[in-house]
């Protein structure tokens, strides 16, 4: 009777299955083991269910043919014979023969045991690996063909023959099955074992995959916790090193000193610088009036004008009706800084920075323009490549990136900040924001 190979877990990803079959558990136990796969209790429950449905006795053996479960529904005859040490050895050899034949042929093996009872060995094979088998049967059959193996001819023993005669009355109690009925039962058991093996493999693979994912998540979580702790420390250190009150106090002291020493220009500069620092470090929330951000930009330009003199001129063109419109904090100044640093300062003769605001439908449009050399971001990167993050432009670029991300996070992809460069016209950054937007902010 040919059933073909026990089909593997077809629904399981091949790579995962191979990894599972070639691995071991935390205790070093090979997972390619029938007890590990099913568990002894589950195997015995399967045996009981199959025995109840078919009327056959069952026992499970490992790949060596050694029993690994308690026998189920063994008839009185077989139980008595197996209690005899000399007869038991022959019974165990019979079980081993049946399972080994099934393993070699990778097919269900039907045979007569040395006592003349019909039995079946059903191999449990996964991806060519023989794990063990189900031995079932212990019934009488009178119409089996001569092609069915009869182990009494090769496992003859006088002591065993005496046991058979001694327990003949128990032998007569064993039910008689037709060969066809037995084959039908063997087919059914084969299919059941097949499916159960597939299910167990699939479940173990999925459990292993889930454990690996959980372990990976735990590892990532630990890494993120460490990174978060590191960032928290860095933030705390930055706060300690950037004491706004200390800076403002020093600036105020310098301004007072400049007044005492009759240095009005220095005093005015320090006054603007103090206001610039005070606004920079103040808690402002997510949105502020446009006028506040423009005023901070004017302070910055005034401070730069003290350094550059006539090389820097600036113009603010913001309509009065736009002054109180709320905009996200910190998104305007980085582009003003970029206009000075990568625009005006790169020209010997200097240049002009213009901040212009217009309302277009339901949108606020802010433009920051310079008439500098209009170099592109790629050219800027090449210019400062050797300096890496050791120049002011690096932090200005970070500020512009942060501003773009902030606008996108607050208002979605419909709103953005676009920077355009032209060697003949300079550089222009356009900030497009929604008007009266606070009501729609999530």
């Amino acid at each position: 009777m040919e059933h073909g190979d026990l089909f593997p877990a077809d629904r399981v990803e091949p790579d995962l299955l191979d990894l599972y079959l070639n691995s071991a558990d935390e205790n070093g136990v090979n997972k390619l083991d029938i007890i590990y796969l099913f568990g002894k209790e589950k195997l015995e429950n399967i045996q009981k269910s199959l025995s109840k449905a078919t009327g056959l006795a069952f026992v499970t053996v490992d790949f060596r043919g050694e029993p690994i479960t308690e026998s189920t529904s063994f008839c009185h005859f077989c139980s008595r014979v197996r209690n005899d040490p000399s007869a038991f050895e022959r019974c165990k050899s019979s079980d081993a023969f049946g399972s080994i034949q099934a393993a070699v042929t990778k097919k269900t093996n039907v045979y007569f045991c040395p006592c003349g009872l019909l039995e079946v060995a059903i191999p449990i094979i996964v991806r060519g690996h023989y794990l063990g088998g189900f031995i079932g049967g212990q019934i009488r059959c009178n119409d089996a063909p001569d092609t069915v193996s009869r182990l009494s001819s090769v496992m003859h023993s006088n002591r065993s023959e005496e046991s058979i005669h001694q327990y003949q009355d128990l032998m007569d109690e064993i039910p008689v099955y037709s060969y066809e009925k037995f084959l039908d039962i063997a087919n059914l058991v084969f299919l059941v074992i097949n499916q159960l093996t597939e299910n167990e493999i699939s479940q173990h693979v999925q459990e292993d995959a889930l454990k690996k994912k959980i372990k990976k998540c735990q590892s990532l979580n630990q890494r993120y916790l460490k990174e978060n702790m590191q960032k928290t420390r860095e933030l705390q250190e930055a706060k300690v090193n950037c004491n706004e009150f200390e800076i403002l106090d020093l600036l105020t002291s310098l301004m007072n000193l400049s007044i005492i020493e009759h240095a009005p220009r220095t005093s005015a500069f320090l006054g603007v610088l103090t206001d610039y620092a005070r606004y920079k470090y103040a808690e402002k929330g997510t949105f502020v009036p446009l006028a506040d951000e423009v005023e901070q930009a004017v302070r910055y330009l005034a401070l730069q004008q003290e350094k550059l003199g006539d090389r820097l001129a600036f113009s603010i063109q913001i309509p009065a009706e736009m002054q109180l419109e709320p905009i996200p904090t910190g998104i305007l100044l980085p582009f003003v800084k970029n206009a000075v640093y990568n625009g005006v300062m790169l020209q010997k003769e200097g240049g002009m920075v213009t901040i212009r605001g217009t309302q277009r439908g339901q949108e606020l449009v802010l433009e920051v323009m310079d008439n500098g050399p209009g170099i592109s971001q790629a050219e800027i990167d090449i210019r400062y490549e050797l300096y890496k993050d050791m120049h002011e432009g690096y932090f200005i670029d970070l500020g512009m990136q942060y501003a773009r991300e902030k606008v996108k996070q607050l208002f979605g992809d419909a709103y953005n900040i676009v920077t355009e460069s032209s060697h003949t016209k300079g550089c222009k950054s356009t900030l497009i924001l929604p008007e009266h937007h606070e009501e729609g902010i999530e």
Side-chain angles (χ1 to χ4, degrees), residues 223-384:
R223 194 182 83 186
Y224 292 148
L225 284 174
K226 290 180 181 178
E227 290 178 356
N228 185 56
M229 290 175 63
Q230 177 65 23
K231 294 299 180 183
T232 301
R233 283 196 296 268
E234 291 174 0
L235 181 60
Q236 289 174 338
E237 289 176 6
K239 287 183 176 180
V240 170
N241 294 328
C242 189
N243 185 340
E244 59 198 86
F245 301 103
E246 179 184 31
I247 294 172
L248 291 172
D249 183 62
L250 290 173
L251 289 174
T252 303
S253 297
L254 284 172
M255 187 170 63
N256 292 335
L257 181 62
S258 67
I259 294 173
I260 294 171
E261 294 184 343
H262 304 289
R265 185 175 175 183
T266 302
S267 177
F269 180 87
L270 288 172
V272 174
L273 181 58
T274 300
D275 290 340
Y276 177 82
R278 182 177 289 111
Y279 184 83
K280 180 178 181 179
Y281 296 118
E283 291 289 339
K284 295 180 285 293
T286 305
F287 299 99
V288 294
L290 172 58
D292 291 355
E293 290 291 287
V294 171
E295 188 177 2
Q296 180 71 344
V298 170
R299 293 187 191 106
Y300 172 80
L301 290 168
L303 293 172
Q304 292 300 317
Q305 205 170 45
E306 282 296 324
K307 179 175 67 175
L308 299 173
D310 294 339
R311 291 179 60 208
L312 172 61
F314 61 87
S315 173
I316 309 298
Q317 302 170 17
I318 305 292
E321 60 270 21
M322 287 183 62
Q323 296 287 336
L324 296 180
E325 286 289 343
I327 71 168
T329 58
I331 66 168
L332 176 63
L333 188 58
F335 297 95
V336 176
K337 290 182 177 181
N338 182 63
V340 175
Y341 188 78
N342 290 313
V344 173
M345 288 178 61
L346 295 183
Q347 294 187 136
K348 185 177 180 180
E349 68 277 13
M352 166 76 76
V353 174
T354 302
I355 303 175
R356 183 167 61 199
T358 57
Q359 289 180 287
R360 187 173 63 194
Q362 299 298 313
E363 295 177 336
L364 301 177
V365 180
L366 297 174
E367 295 175 313
V368 180
M369 298 170 284
D370 68 75
N371 59 352
I375 61 177
S376 66
Q377 186 59 49
E379 292 172 308
I380 292 173
D381 292 340
I382 294 173
R383 175 184 286 269
Y384 298 109

Side-chain angles (χ1 to χ4, degrees), residues 40-60 67-76 78-79 82 95 119 134-139:
K40 185 172 182 287
E41 183 178 355
K42 183 176 286 188
L43 283 171
E44 290 176 348
N45 287 335
I46 293 171
Q47 289 176 189
K48 291 175 183 176
S49 297
L50 289 174
S51 179
K52 187 176 181 180
T54 64
L56 304 185
F58 285 100
V59 68
T60 307
I68 54 176
T69 61
E70 297 296 326
S71 57
T72 301
S73 300
F74 270 36
C75 63
H76 297 305
C78 289
S79 298
R82 286 175 180 257
D95 294 341
E119 296 195 339
F134 269 63
I135 306 297
Q138 295 184 5
I139 59 101

Side-chain angles (χ1 to χ4, degrees), residues 138-164:
Q138 295 184 5
I139 59 101
R140 292 185 293 165
C141 181
N142 300 321
D143 62 346
D146 295 336
T147 54
V148 177
S149 300
R150 287 168 169 78
L151 299 186
S152 58
S153 60
V154 293
M155 296 182 181
H156 182 75
S157 165
N158 291 332
R159 182 69 187 86
S160 298
E161 293 299 327
E162 291 176 5
S163 296
I164 294 174

